[in-house]
Amino acid sequence: MAMYAYKDAARTVKILARDAQKQDKSNRYYCPNHKCDAHMFIRNIEGVSASYFGAIHSHGHINNCPHGASNRFNPNDYDEDTFEFDNALLALTMPGMSQTKKELPGEHGSGNAKASPPRTIRQIYSMCKAHDCSDTYNGVKIGKMLLDNRSVYMYPKGVFGWRIIEAKCKRPHFYNSIKKEISLIASTAGEEYTFILKFESEKLFKEIKNVIFLNRECFTVVAGQWSSSGTFNVFCTTFLSKKQLAIIN
């Protein structure tokens, strides 16, 4: 699902789902992913105000398109008004009982009447990817929650405070066993940032290192409170819980 799409194949005219009118239901829109030729249409659920763009089965999304089936965010399954980004990320850093799907209504688009805000890193990440980076969710700009290849231009002076970052392993070596550190890198044309995960627990360090190594060709998504490392364009956070990490194929 996507909360925005384009009116033209060149992707020059953007339209947000909330701005699409009922008369637009028969209009075909274009996936934000330039490599994907999915035929997207505005969707509404009867009795629910939130709308979104979805593709038809005969002209669906390409594999692993971030706006396709792999993104399970449905705005009608979550309570936007109670979402507080900083508090949500703070909760992810707190070790404790892992959150299960039973404890997280809306994970599979069940339309739960008692909707809660996005809580897990995957839910928050999917919400951010579904929206345009210049759009907002409960008053907070998407690009100020998630740093990815769309929003990196919003960080000309660096990455500070609570953020989710989408990155990949730094090559050729992404970890330092002596310092218990893992290095990730996010880059786009003309800009490159390094993110260092600092661990207090050797057991957690080894576990996360192995997870990232086995998925080193995938995106690593990390939630944290970032600060300067003292080196230009290098930022660090303390990694305290597995809930801070998601691997995106």
Side-chain angles (χ1 to χ4, degrees), residues 40-231:
M40 302 184 74
F41 296 85
I42 192 68
R43 306 294 191 201
N44 297 95
I45 296 178
E46 193 67 31
V48 181
S49 59
S51 302
Y52 57 89
F53 292 101
I56 57 175
H57 292 296
S58 57
H59 293 87
H61 294 274
I62 60 174
N63 289 337
N64 297 322
C65 177
H67 306 285
S70 60
N71 188 327
R72 295 176 176 174
F73 178 75
N74 183 330
N76 300 297
D77 291 334
Y78 299 98
D79 184 2
E80 178 177 349
D81 293 337
T82 58
F83 178 70
E84 296 183 6
F85 179 69
D86 286 6
N87 288 343
L89 264 60
L90 175 62
L92 294 178
T93 68
M94 296 180 179
M97 185 179 295
S98 61
Q99 295 168 303
T100 66
K101 291 181 180 179
K102 273 190 175 179
E103 294 169 330
L104 296 166
E107 182 79 39
H108 294 293
S110 59
N112 194 323
K114 296 180 180 179
S116 55
R119 289 176 177 170
T120 70
I121 188 170
R122 285 187 178 275
Q123 290 174 345
I124 300 170
Y125 174 78
S126 293
M127 177 274 292
C128 289
K129 295 300 278 191
H131 289 79
D132 180 65
C133 66
S134 62
D135 200 358
T136 61
Y137 192 77
N138 198 24
V140 181
K141 189 166 287 189
I142 297 297
K144 292 301 181 181
M145 292 188 270
L146 171 67
L147 181 146
D148 60 7
N149 60 356
R150 307 171 304 165
S151 64
V152 69
Y153 75 92
M154 297 180 177
Y155 297 86
K157 296 183 179 179
V159 185
F160 304 96
W162 291 106
R163 297 288 188 275
I164 293 176
I165 60 105
E166 178 189 85
K168 286 198 170 185
C169 296
K170 189 166 187 178
R171 302 297 179 91
H173 304 294
F174 74 92
Y175 66 89
N176 184 319
S177 296
I178 297 175
K179 293 184 176 181
K180 296 196 294 291
E181 293 181 352
I182 290 175
S183 295
L184 305 173
I185 191 165
S187 61
T188 188
E191 199 68 79
E192 183 174 281
Y193 288 137
T194 296
F195 298 96
I196 298 175
L197 314 184
K198 295 178 175 289
F199 292 79
E200 297 175 351
S201 164
E202 185 166 356
K203 179 182 177 182
L204 183 60
F205 165 73
K206 289 180 177 179
E207 185 174 354
I208 297 301
K209 178 198 71 175
N210 291 339
V211 169
I212 293 176
F213 177 76
L214 292 173
N215 297 278
R216 55 193 178 279
E217 299 303 325
C218 302
F219 279 115
T220 298
V221 174
V222 178
Q225 187 173 30
W226 303 94
S227 60
S228 173
S229 70
T231 301

